Structures are given as C-alpha cells and as structure tokens.
C-alpha cells in the first residue's frame, strides 16, 4: 500500500481493490494544536451557538418537525456536493406527491440519503450510554 496523499491529520492509502482509505494519525497530534486567543474565541462562539440551538428545542412545539426538515436540508446539501441538482422544495414536493420532480434521479438520490440518515438515527437510539 502506498500513500497517495499525506497531511498532518492522516494519510490517504491506496487499497488493493482500487479505493483509497483515509487513515488518521494517532491523537494527540504532533505538533500539538495551539489554542490561541482566536481559536479560543471561535470555540466559545461555537459552544454558545450550540447552547442556543439546544435551548431553542425546549420551546419548539414540535421538535420532531425541526429534525424532519433539518435531515432533508442536510441530505440536499450533501447530495449537491456529489453533483445533484435537486432542491429542498423538489424533495418536499416529491415526498408529499405534490408534483413530479423535474430531475427524478437527483431527487431519488436525496431520498436515499434521507433514508440512510434516518436509519443511522434509528441505530443511535439503540445505543445505550455507559452512564445509563
């Protein structure tokens, strides 16, 4: 196996079947991550934003609806990385059978991604925390 790409985070290594696998370097990284004032401020803002999001779910009348739309938006964005042209509206119209999608194959890709995300979330429900 030969490394095709190397970085501080890890290496892409060619596999016998023709694929490349990312092999992360062990933690902690060398040299260590420098947590300067700028990074500390970014981490603080991210933590604050995550807290606001968590708090907002307590006042939503239906948090499941929020998750439902969020999963679809994530699926659309992730699928667009792979070149699909389906929009969130296309996917919602398809799911509610309001109209035939203009690009049925692209919408099908997004719907498959949604199914995979939902399957993963269902599997997470079965995992019990060691604290339970």
């Amino acid at each position: 196996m030969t490394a095709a790409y190397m970085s501080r985070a890890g290496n892409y290594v060619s596999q016998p079947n023709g694929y490349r696998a990312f092999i992360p370097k062990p933690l902690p990284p060398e040299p260590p991550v420098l947590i300067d004032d700028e990074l500390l401020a970014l981490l603080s803002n991210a933590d604050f934003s995550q807290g606001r999001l968590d708090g907002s779910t307590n006042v939503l009348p239906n948090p499941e609806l929020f998750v439902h739309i969020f999963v679809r938006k994530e699926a659309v964005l992730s699928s667009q990385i792979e070149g699909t042209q389906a929009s969130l509206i296309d996917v919602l119209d398809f799911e509610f059978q309001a109209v035939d999608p203009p690009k049925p194959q692209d919408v099908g890709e997004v719907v498959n991604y949604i199914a995979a995300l939902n399957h993963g979330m269902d599997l997470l429900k079965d995992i019990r925390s060691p604290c339970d």
Side-chain angles (χ1 to χ4, degrees):
M1 292 193 282
T2 61
Y5 175 77
M6 295 174 35
S7 76
R8 181 174 174 212
N11 305 318
Y12 282 103
V13 179
S14 297
Q15 301 297 303
N17 58 5
Y19 293 98
R20 292 185 314 148
F22 180 78
I23 309 298
K25 290 192 177 174
L27 294 174
E30 281 295 329
V33 174
L34 175 63
I35 301 180
D36 58 9
D37 289 343
E38 181 183 5
L39 181 57
L40 193 58
L42 290 169
L43 289 169
S44 178
N45 287 338
D47 190 42
F48 179 74
S49 295
Q50 187 176 16
R52 286 183 58 205
L53 178 61
D54 185 50
S56 67
T57 61
N58 293 327
V59 297
L60 289 175
N62 186 352
E64 290 297 320
L65 182 59
F66 174 77
V67 172
H68 179 85
I69 293 298
F70 181 79
V71 164
R72 276 136 190 85
K73 181 67 174 175
E74 170 61 24
V76 167
L77 293 174
S78 295
S79 297
Q80 286 174 347
I81 292 170
E82 299 173 11
T84 63
Q85 299 295 313
S87 70
L88 180 59
I89 296 299
D90 294 336
V91 172
L92 294 174
D93 282 345
F94 173 78
E95 287 186 323
F96 294 109
Q97 299 178 358
V99 296
D100 289 331
K103 297 182 186 269
Q105 185 174 358
D106 286 357
V107 171
E109 288 292 322
V110 175
V111 170
N112 288 340
Y113 196 91
I114 292 167
L117 282 170
N118 286 333
H119 179 69
M121 289 191 309
D122 288 343
L123 291 175
L124 285 174
K125 291 176 186 172
D126 295 335
I127 298 174
R128 295 193 55 87
S129 167
C131 298
D132 289 344

